[in-house]
Amino acid sequence: MIQPLAYIHPQAKIADNVVIEPFVTIHKDVEIGEGTWIGPNVTIMDGARIGKNCRIFPGAVISAVPQDLKFGGEYTIAVIGDNTTIRECVTVNRGTSDRKETRIGSNCLLMAYVHIAHDCIIGDNCILANAVQVAGHVTVNDWAIIGGTSAIHQFVSIGAHVMVSGGSLVKKDIPPYTKAGREPLSFVGINSVGLRRRGFGSEKINQIQEVYRILYMKNFNTTKALDIIEADITPTEERDEIVNFVRNSNRGIMKGFSSN
Protein backbone atom coordinates (compact mmCIF):
# COMPACT_ATOMS: atom_id res chain seq x y z
CA MET A 1 0.00 0.00 0.00
CA ILE A 2 3.09 2.24 0.17
CA GLN A 3 4.80 3.06 -3.12
CA PRO A 4 8.60 2.58 -3.12
CA LEU A 5 9.17 6.10 -4.47
CA ALA A 6 7.59 7.65 -1.36
CA TYR A 7 9.75 8.73 1.60
CA ILE A 8 8.31 7.83 5.02
CA HIS A 9 10.33 8.39 8.16
CA PRO A 10 10.68 5.05 9.96
CA GLN A 11 9.18 6.49 13.18
CA ALA A 12 6.02 7.86 11.52
CA LYS A 13 2.90 6.04 12.74
CA ILE A 14 0.98 4.77 9.72
CA ALA A 15 -2.15 2.67 10.38
CA ASP A 16 -3.35 -0.33 8.40
CA ASN A 17 -4.85 0.09 4.95
CA VAL A 18 -3.27 3.50 4.34
CA VAL A 19 -2.42 4.10 0.67
CA ILE A 20 0.63 6.31 0.04
CA GLU A 21 1.30 7.20 -3.59
CA PRO A 22 4.68 8.00 -5.23
CA PHE A 23 6.76 11.05 -4.27
CA VAL A 24 4.99 11.58 -0.94
CA THR A 25 7.17 12.85 1.93
CA ILE A 26 6.13 12.00 5.49
CA HIS A 27 8.21 13.33 8.40
CA LYS A 28 8.97 11.71 11.77
CA ASP A 29 6.27 13.04 14.12
CA VAL A 30 3.26 12.08 12.00
CA GLU A 31 0.23 9.89 12.68
CA ILE A 32 -2.16 8.73 9.93
CA GLY A 33 -5.36 6.79 10.62
CA GLU A 34 -6.49 3.66 8.82
CA GLY A 35 -8.07 3.81 5.39
CA THR A 36 -6.60 7.19 4.47
CA TRP A 37 -5.32 7.87 0.94
CA ILE A 38 -2.31 10.15 0.45
CA GLY A 39 -1.99 11.25 -3.18
CA PRO A 40 1.22 11.86 -5.12
CA ASN A 41 3.53 14.72 -4.17
CA VAL A 42 1.90 15.38 -0.80
CA THR A 43 4.16 16.62 2.03
CA ILE A 44 3.16 15.80 5.61
CA MET A 45 5.41 17.45 8.18
CA ASP A 46 6.08 17.02 11.90
CA GLY A 47 3.03 17.46 14.11
CA ALA A 48 0.43 16.15 11.66
CA ARG A 49 -2.36 14.05 13.14
CA ILE A 50 -4.56 12.75 10.33
CA GLY A 51 -7.70 10.73 11.01
CA LYS A 52 -9.30 7.73 9.38
CA ASN A 53 -10.57 7.51 5.79
CA CYS A 54 -9.25 10.91 4.75
CA ARG A 55 -8.27 11.76 1.17
CA ILE A 56 -5.38 14.14 0.57
CA PHE A 57 -4.81 15.13 -3.06
CA PRO A 58 -1.57 15.96 -4.91
CA GLY A 59 0.45 18.98 -3.88
CA ALA A 60 -1.06 19.44 -0.41
CA VAL A 61 1.26 20.43 2.45
CA ILE A 62 0.07 19.48 5.94
CA SER A 63 1.53 20.80 9.23
CA ALA A 64 4.17 23.15 7.86
CA VAL A 65 5.56 25.63 10.39
CA PRO A 66 3.40 28.76 10.88
CA GLN A 67 3.86 31.83 8.73
CA ASP A 68 4.12 33.89 11.90
CA LEU A 69 7.24 35.86 12.79
CA LYS A 70 6.50 35.32 16.50
CA PHE A 71 6.77 31.55 16.11
CA GLY A 72 9.71 30.33 18.15
CA GLY A 73 9.85 26.66 17.22
CA GLU A 74 7.56 25.54 20.07
CA TYR A 75 5.97 22.10 19.83
CA THR A 76 2.57 22.32 18.16
CA ILE A 77 0.40 20.12 15.97
CA ALA A 78 -2.09 20.13 13.08
CA VAL A 79 -5.08 17.80 13.50
CA ILE A 80 -7.38 16.59 10.72
CA GLY A 81 -10.51 14.64 11.62
CA ASP A 82 -11.94 11.49 10.05
CA ASN A 83 -13.45 11.38 6.56
CA THR A 84 -12.09 14.78 5.55
CA THR A 85 -11.07 15.49 1.96
CA ILE A 86 -8.21 17.89 1.22
CA ARG A 87 -7.89 18.75 -2.45
CA GLU A 88 -4.97 19.82 -4.60
CA CYS A 89 -2.36 22.25 -3.22
CA VAL A 90 -4.14 22.94 0.08
CA THR A 91 -1.81 24.20 2.84
CA VAL A 92 -2.49 23.65 6.55
CA ASN A 93 -0.02 25.21 9.02
CA ARG A 94 0.40 23.89 12.54
CA GLY A 95 -0.29 26.02 15.61
CA THR A 96 1.74 28.46 17.68
CA SER A 97 1.94 29.09 21.42
CA ASP A 98 -1.56 30.63 21.26
CA ARG A 99 -3.71 27.52 20.77
CA LYS A 100 -0.92 24.93 20.39
CA GLU A 101 -2.73 23.42 17.41
CA THR A 102 -4.54 23.96 14.16
CA ARG A 103 -7.61 21.73 13.94
CA ILE A 104 -9.85 20.68 11.07
CA GLY A 105 -12.90 18.60 11.98
CA SER A 106 -14.42 15.47 10.51
CA ASN A 107 -16.36 15.18 7.26
CA CYS A 108 -14.96 18.43 5.89
CA LEU A 109 -14.13 19.35 2.29
CA LEU A 110 -11.27 21.76 1.61
CA MET A 111 -11.20 22.44 -2.12
CA ALA A 112 -8.11 23.24 -4.17
CA TYR A 113 -5.70 25.97 -3.03
CA VAL A 114 -7.34 26.58 0.35
CA HIS A 115 -4.96 27.93 2.99
CA ILE A 116 -5.55 27.29 6.71
CA ALA A 117 -3.17 29.35 8.83
CA HIS A 118 -1.84 28.66 12.32
CA ASP A 119 -4.18 28.24 15.29
CA CYS A 120 -7.35 27.98 13.20
CA ILE A 121 -10.21 25.77 14.36
CA ILE A 122 -12.49 24.43 11.62
CA GLY A 123 -15.52 22.48 12.85
CA ASP A 124 -17.15 19.34 11.49
CA ASN A 125 -18.98 19.13 8.15
CA CYS A 126 -17.53 22.39 6.83
CA ILE A 127 -16.94 23.18 3.15
CA LEU A 128 -14.30 25.69 2.07
CA ALA A 129 -14.49 26.21 -1.68
CA ASN A 130 -11.55 26.81 -4.02
CA ALA A 131 -8.86 29.27 -2.91
CA VAL A 132 -10.44 30.33 0.40
CA GLN A 133 -7.70 32.00 2.45
CA VAL A 134 -8.03 31.71 6.24
CA ALA A 135 -5.70 33.84 8.37
CA GLY A 136 -4.44 32.88 11.82
CA HIS A 137 -6.56 32.31 14.93
CA VAL A 138 -9.84 32.01 12.98
CA THR A 139 -12.71 29.83 14.24
CA VAL A 140 -15.22 28.32 11.79
CA ASN A 141 -18.04 26.41 13.47
CA ASP A 142 -19.81 23.23 12.29
CA TRP A 143 -21.64 23.09 8.94
CA ALA A 144 -20.31 26.44 7.69
CA ILE A 145 -19.85 26.88 3.93
CA ILE A 146 -17.36 29.48 2.67
CA GLY A 147 -17.58 30.51 -0.99
CA GLY A 148 -14.55 30.38 -3.27
CA THR A 149 -11.74 32.98 -3.13
CA SER A 150 -13.03 34.44 0.14
CA ALA A 151 -10.45 35.91 2.53
CA ILE A 152 -10.98 35.69 6.29
CA HIS A 153 -9.25 38.16 8.62
CA GLN A 154 -7.24 37.09 11.68
CA PHE A 155 -9.25 36.27 14.84
CA VAL A 156 -12.63 36.22 13.05
CA SER A 157 -15.30 33.77 14.23
CA ILE A 158 -17.86 32.28 11.84
CA GLY A 159 -20.92 30.69 13.39
CA ALA A 160 -22.46 27.30 12.74
CA HIS A 161 -24.60 26.74 9.62
CA VAL A 162 -23.37 29.98 8.01
CA MET A 163 -23.20 30.47 4.23
CA VAL A 164 -20.66 33.03 3.00
CA SER A 165 -20.84 34.31 -0.58
CA GLY A 166 -17.89 33.65 -2.88
CA GLY A 167 -15.28 36.37 -3.13
CA SER A 168 -16.10 37.83 0.28
CA LEU A 169 -13.78 39.83 2.52
CA VAL A 170 -14.65 38.65 6.03
CA LYS A 171 -13.46 41.26 8.53
CA LYS A 172 -16.15 40.86 11.21
CA ASP A 173 -17.66 37.90 13.03
CA ILE A 174 -20.60 36.19 11.28
CA PRO A 175 -23.36 34.99 13.66
CA PRO A 176 -24.73 31.44 13.34
CA TYR A 177 -27.48 30.39 10.90
CA THR A 178 -26.98 33.40 8.63
CA LYS A 179 -26.10 34.14 5.02
CA ALA A 180 -23.42 36.76 4.39
CA GLY A 181 -22.99 38.56 1.09
CA ARG A 182 -22.57 41.86 -0.77
CA GLU A 183 -19.72 44.33 -0.29
CA PRO A 184 -19.02 45.30 2.41
CA LEU A 185 -20.04 41.91 3.79
CA SER A 186 -23.51 42.13 5.32
CA PHE A 187 -26.42 40.13 6.66
CA VAL A 188 -28.61 38.95 3.77
CA GLY A 189 -30.95 36.59 5.61
CA ILE A 190 -30.80 33.27 7.40
CA ASN A 191 -29.57 30.08 5.80
CA SER A 192 -33.05 28.55 5.69
CA VAL A 193 -32.28 26.14 2.83
CA GLY A 194 -29.26 24.72 4.64
CA LEU A 195 -31.18 24.46 7.90
CA ARG A 196 -34.02 22.52 6.28
CA ARG A 197 -31.54 20.15 4.66
CA ARG A 198 -30.10 19.46 8.13
CA GLY A 199 -33.46 18.69 9.72
CA PHE A 200 -34.45 22.01 11.29
CA GLY A 201 -38.23 22.30 11.50
CA SER A 202 -40.34 25.34 10.60
CA GLU A 203 -40.79 26.37 14.23
CA LYS A 204 -37.04 26.58 14.85
CA ILE A 205 -36.40 28.35 11.55
CA ASN A 206 -39.15 30.90 12.25
CA GLN A 207 -37.71 31.62 15.68
CA ILE A 208 -34.22 32.12 14.22
CA GLN A 209 -35.73 34.51 11.67
CA GLU A 210 -37.43 36.49 14.42
CA VAL A 211 -34.18 36.77 16.39
CA TYR A 212 -32.45 38.27 13.38
CA ARG A 213 -35.35 40.60 12.58
CA ILE A 214 -34.82 42.15 16.00
CA LEU A 215 -31.04 42.16 15.70
CA TYR A 216 -30.75 43.52 12.17
CA MET A 217 -34.03 45.01 10.96
CA LYS A 218 -35.53 47.00 13.85
CA ASN A 219 -32.87 49.72 14.06
CA PHE A 220 -31.88 48.81 17.62
CA ASN A 221 -28.26 48.96 18.72
CA THR A 222 -26.78 45.55 19.48
CA THR A 223 -27.09 45.78 23.27
CA LYS A 224 -30.75 46.83 23.09
CA ALA A 225 -31.54 44.14 20.52
CA LEU A 226 -30.04 41.42 22.72
CA ASP A 227 -32.07 42.64 25.70
CA ILE A 228 -35.28 42.47 23.65
CA ILE A 229 -34.44 39.02 22.26
CA GLU A 230 -33.86 37.64 25.77
CA ALA A 231 -37.02 39.27 27.12
CA ASP A 232 -39.43 38.48 24.28
CA ILE A 233 -38.27 35.22 22.64
CA THR A 234 -38.64 31.85 24.33
CA PRO A 235 -35.26 30.41 25.36
CA THR A 236 -34.04 27.66 23.05
CA GLU A 237 -30.65 26.26 22.17
CA GLU A 238 -30.63 28.23 18.92
CA ARG A 239 -31.68 31.52 20.51
CA ASP A 240 -29.06 31.20 23.23
CA GLU A 241 -26.36 30.25 20.73
CA ILE A 242 -27.02 33.43 18.74
CA VAL A 243 -27.14 35.65 21.83
CA ASN A 244 -23.95 34.19 23.29
CA PHE A 245 -22.12 34.44 19.97
CA VAL A 246 -23.01 38.12 19.52
CA ARG A 247 -22.34 39.01 23.14
CA ASN A 248 -18.92 37.33 23.12
CA SER A 249 -17.80 38.68 19.74
CA ASN A 250 -14.37 40.29 19.99
CA ARG A 251 -14.28 41.83 16.52
CA GLY A 252 -17.94 42.82 16.37
CA ILE A 253 -20.52 41.22 14.11
CA MET A 254 -21.21 41.99 10.46
CA LYS A 255 -23.74 44.73 9.90
CA GLY A 256 -27.14 44.62 8.29
CA PHE A 257 -27.34 45.56 4.62
CA SER A 258 -27.88 49.23 3.82
CA SER A 259 -28.56 50.67 0.37
CA ASN A 260 -26.97 53.99 1.38
Side-chain angles (χ1 to χ4, degrees):
M1 308 297 281
I2 298 176
Q3 294 293 327
L5 293 176
Y7 169 74
I8 298 120
H9 192 282
Q11 294 184 36
K13 298 178 180 178
I14 312 296
D16 295 336
N17 301 318
V18 171
V19 175
I20 298 175
E21 301 287 4
F23 309 114
V24 168
T25 298
I26 297 178
H27 290 199
K28 176 180 177 180
D29 180 25
V30 170
E31 299 177 11
I32 301 176
E34 61 186 30
T36 287
W37 175 76
I38 310 295
N41 296 293
V42 170
T43 300
I44 303 177
M45 305 183 79
D46 287 334
R49 304 289 183 266
I50 299 170
K52 300 176 181 178
N53 302 313
C54 294
R55 296 191 301 159
I56 302 180
F57 280 71
V61 180
I62 309 300
S63 198
V65 297
Q67 298 176 114
D68 183 342
L69 295 177
K70 300 184 299 299
F71 180 68
E74 58 268 26
Y75 181 78
T76 59
I77 59 175
V79 181
I80 297 171
D82 298 341
N83 307 305
T84 283
T85 296
I86 295 178
R87 294 302 305 249
E88 295 82 358
C89 300
V90 168
T91 53
V92 179
N93 293 167
R94 61 187 175 96
T96 69
S97 58
D98 176 39
R99 287 177 167 172
K100 308 293 187 184
E101 67 176 18
T102 301
R103 180 173 291 271
I104 297 168
S106 298
N107 306 304
C108 292
L109 170 58
L110 276 56
M111 297 186 193
Y113 297 100
V114 166
H115 173 66
I116 307 294
H118 58 89
D119 302 292
C120 288
I121 305 296
I122 311 296
D124 297 335
N125 304 294
C126 292
I127 299 174
L128 278 63
N130 294 303
V132 169
Q133 305 295 290
V134 185
H137 315 278
V138 165
T139 299
V140 179
N141 286 281
D142 296 350
W143 295 102
I145 299 175
I146 315 296
T149 72
S150 295
I152 304 175
H153 195 280
Q154 292 95 330
F155 297 99
V156 157
S157 290
I158 296 176
H161 301 278
V162 159
M163 169 74 82
V164 178
S165 175
S168 294
L169 300 177
V170 184
K171 303 175 183 177
K172 296 288 187 179
D173 294 346
I174 302 178
Y177 311 113
T178 61
K179 294 184 295 185
R182 302 192 175 102
E183 177 57 36
L185 197 69
S186 308
F187 172 78
V188 294
I190 71 164
N191 187 16
S192 55
V193 173
L195 294 176
R196 289 192 183 97
R197 287 174 177 169
R198 294 162 203 150
F200 284 71
S202 295
E203 184 176 348
K204 284 188 176 183
I205 291 173
N206 289 338
Q207 187 195 59
I208 292 168
Q209 286 178 323
E210 183 57 29
V211 169
Y212 283 112
R213 285 191 190 101
I214 296 170
L215 186 62
Y216 279 121
M217 304 176 72
K218 299 292 187 180
N219 295 319
F220 299 121
N221 64 42
T222 300
T223 301
K224 180 65 173 177
L226 292 177
D227 290 342
I228 294 171
I229 290 165
E230 291 186 308
D232 294 353
I233 294 182
T234 303
T236 63
E237 180 180 344
E238 292 76 22
R239 187 210 74 163
D240 292 345
E241 183 177 359
I242 296 167
V243 169
N244 290 334
F245 184 98
V246 174
R247 185 162 280 144
N248 294 321
S249 172
N250 291 320
R251 292 191 57 80
I253 62 171
M254 67 177 177
K255 302 301 184 183
F257 175 70
S258 172
S259 59
N260 295 331

